[in-house]
Structure formats: C-alpha cells, structure tokens
Amino acid sequence: MSWFSKLLLPGRLRTGPTALLPARPDPKTLLAVAQLADPEARTDGDDILAGGSRIQPPVELTADVLAKLGVPDDDGLWACRIAAEGPLPVDFFDKSLAEGIAYRLGGWSLCQGEPLDPAEDAGDPLVYLPAVPEPEEILPVLSEALRHAEAVDAEKWPEGELIEGVVHVPVRGGRVADVYAGADVLVTIEEGHRLPPAAQTRWPYLTEIAIARVSPVTRTEEPEGEDADLADGPAEGVPDPDAAPGPLDAASGTDADTDAGSDTDAGSDAEDVPSGNDAEGADEVRAALLVRAAVAVTLANALRGIAADSRGFQLAEPADVLPGGYA
C-alpha cells in the first residue's frame, strides 16, 4: 500500500461501515459468516458480494491508523470495509452486515466515525415468516416454548386472553398484528416488511413478509431513540404499531442503544466486567438471550420460517446468537 493510500485509508474506513477484527479472518470463514446474512453471498475476486453490498478484503491497521480513527489499540486490528453496490444501501444492510461480521468474529464495527462493540447489544431474535400465523397455529407452539403466564395483567394487557399459559393480545392495527406473552418473553408479530436477503432466497415469489420479534416482557434498561417508543408499548398495553421497525432496522437502531464512542477499548474482551455483580448480571443477560433465541428457533422450525438475530444473520441453533461464535 502506498503512502498516499495510507493517508486516505482512515477517512474511507471512518465514513463507511467497517468491521474491525482482532485477527485476519480466513476468507472461507468470512464467506461463511456473510452467507448467514445472505445465503447467496459469493466471492468476486478478493471481495465478497452479499445482499447488494461488497465486503472488501481485510486490511491491517497499525496503532497510528487506529489513533486517527479514534480506536485505542496498541496491537493493531484488521479492517473489512463494507460498501453498498448501489447509490444507497437497502434497509441499512451494509451497516448491519458490518456489525454482524464483527459480532461473530469478536470485533468491533465502525460507522460514521463511531466505534461500536456489537456484543454489548445483541438485540432481539427474529423469525421471518411468509405470512402472519393464525393464533390456532402459533399458540400451541408458544405454549410449549414459553414459561407460562399465571394470569392476564389487566393493566398491561386490557384486551389480553390467557390461553394455555400464553396471553394473546389481538391488535390488527398498523404493522403489529398480534402480541403473545409468556411469563418473561414477548412475541410481537409484525407484518408488511420488505424481504431481507435470507428471506428473499427462501421466498423469491413474495413481495413482503411477516416478522416475529422475540423480546423480554420487561426491559431492565430504557432504550433511546426510535426503539424507545416500541419498548414503551407493552407498559401501556400493546406495542405502538407505528413504531415497529423494518426487518433490518433493529440493527440500524443499535447505535442509539449503546454509547460506544466515548468509552471504548478495542483491545478489551467483550465479557470483561469490573465487578462480581456485573459478571452475574452479564451471565443473566446471556442466559435470557439464549432463552429468546431458543423460542425463535422453535418458532422457525414449527412455522417453516427463518430464525435470525437482530441484524438479519440466520440462527440454526440458539447458541448461534452468542457473540464470537466464529472467532
């Protein structure tokens, strides 16, 4: 790389979505990770094409380049820049692709100058479905998959009906079609989403799909930005239909949930915690995420759907939702 290219490199990496990785990824591993988001991802020379985006080959970043990017790391990192093939990325897929690659390879993502540790916010598992399932179809599955609710909370679910341990709240207004709640897991069925690459491969004849979003009944932290409206919904009865994000917008909203730019250490491990209480809390968060991922995988298998994480990467089993699986 020439000195002129090195001079321009920080600016190019800072503007576009970039995955910052602790080690040079094997090309086959990088392709396998990309195929989780787009099963038709393929190599194109040294690049990988996935979902209308181009994953450029990894470039080693030395400490001086990282300092210009605002990422403190003395050992160096490897950067894979993501570039949209068209004039504009579709549904922020290039950003979610960078975050998903970093999540699975134990790294960071960088977009518009802000470094982000994706492991700090795994988001909610999703299930892509060809259509909104009828209650008679999904309730038996959820009754087996969820920890049962003992009764309907009339204040939270004024229109809810307890059926075999699952509270069913029909909405049929806006994008949200149905809400199902167990003791600690909420399943929100949203309709009218554009097809992400994984769903487009499975159902090329469809123009839109439904999404089942698996989230906690109550959250311990209040999200900021666009997700705040969605999180406030259950407390008032039903999630706000107009606040429901698109199929991959959950990924694009994660930068609002995590302030990674002010207190990041790219050389630290995602699971490093300052105290025993925090370590116990991290284990609880991890366990709860696995529970929600298990519900998503169960729903996908029973309803012939596709289980995915919040960034649109497919889940074959619940453990796939944990960070660093391909590191």
Side-chain angles (χ1 to χ4, degrees):
M1 183 183 296
S2 68
W3 68 270
F4 188 65
S5 297
K6 288 183 179 180
L7 185 65
L8 295 179
L9 180 63
R12 296 208 318 269
L13 296 180
R14 186 182 291 113
T15 55
T18 300
L20 301 176
L21 308 174
R24 182 186 180 96
D26 176 77
K28 292 183 179 179
T29 300
L30 190 58
L31 177 60
V33 173
Q35 287 173 339
L36 295 176
D38 178 10
E40 295 184 344
R42 59 181 176 84
T43 57
D44 182 35
D46 294 332
D47 298 343
I48 295 175
L49 295 180
S53 296
R54 183 176 292 271
I55 305 170
Q56 299 178 353
V59 177
E60 186 175 11
L61 304 181
T62 56
D64 57 335
V65 175
L66 290 171
K68 294 178 181 178
L69 294 172
V71 181
D73 191 282
D74 297 330
D75 299 329
L77 294 172
W78 291 83
C80 289
R81 187 171 183 270
I82 315 297
E85 283 288 86
L88 291 174
V90 178
D91 288 336
F92 302 99
F93 183 71
D94 58 339
K95 184 176 184 293
S96 63
L97 190 60
E99 291 182 4
I101 290 172
Y103 187 81
R104 277 157 181 76
L105 293 175
W108 295 67
S109 69
L110 183 70
C111 186
Q112 296 181 343
E114 181 181 8
L116 169 72
D117 182 1
E120 292 184 356
D121 183 7
D124 294 329
L126 310 171
V127 182
Y128 301 139
L129 299 168
V132 174
E134 294 297 329
E136 306 82 48
E137 185 180 11
I138 192 174
L139 276 169
V141 182
L142 292 177
S143 181
E144 293 291 332
L146 301 182
R147 191 164 66 88
H148 286 184
E150 296 181 357
V152 177
D153 187 334
E155 182 177 352
K156 182 182 292 185
W157 313 112
E159 299 180 5
E161 179 185 6
L162 185 63
I163 304 173
E164 297 182 355
V166 179
V167 178
H168 174 218
V169 184
V171 182
R172 303 295 175 183
R175 178 166 284 180
V176 176
D178 287 289
V179 175
Y180 301 90
D184 46 19
V185 173
L186 186 74
V187 177
T188 305
I189 310 295
E190 304 165 7
E191 58 184 344
H193 288 277
R194 285 190 292 181
L195 278 70
Q200 193 168 18
T201 301
R202 174 79 69 88
W203 305 297
Y205 51 88
L206 295 179
T207 57
E208 60 182 36
I209 59 170
I211 288 181
R213 191 177 304 275
V214 186
S215 59
V217 167
T218 57
R219 292 189 182 274
T220 56
E221 296 180 1
E222 276 199 30
E224 303 172 8
E226 295 179 358
D227 289 343
D229 296 333
L230 184 61
D232 288 343
E236 299 176 1
V238 176
D240 182 359
D242 297 331
L248 296 178
D249 288 352
S252 64
T254 54
D255 56 349
D257 298 333
T258 305
D259 183 10
S262 61
D263 190 18
T264 55
D265 180 5
S268 65
D269 186 86
E271 295 183 7
D272 286 347
V273 286
S275 69
N277 289 337
D278 288 341
E280 183 178 348
D283 289 340
E284 292 178 357
V285 169
R286 180 187 178 101
L289 178 60
L290 282 171
V291 168
R292 300 200 305 277
V295 172
V297 171
T298 299
L299 280 174
N301 292 336
L303 302 178
R304 299 174 297 281
I306 302 171
D309 66 10
S310 63
R311 298 173 176 93
F313 284 65
Q314 295 179 79
L315 307 175
E317 55 186 41
D320 292 343
V321 79
L322 298 177
Y326 282 74

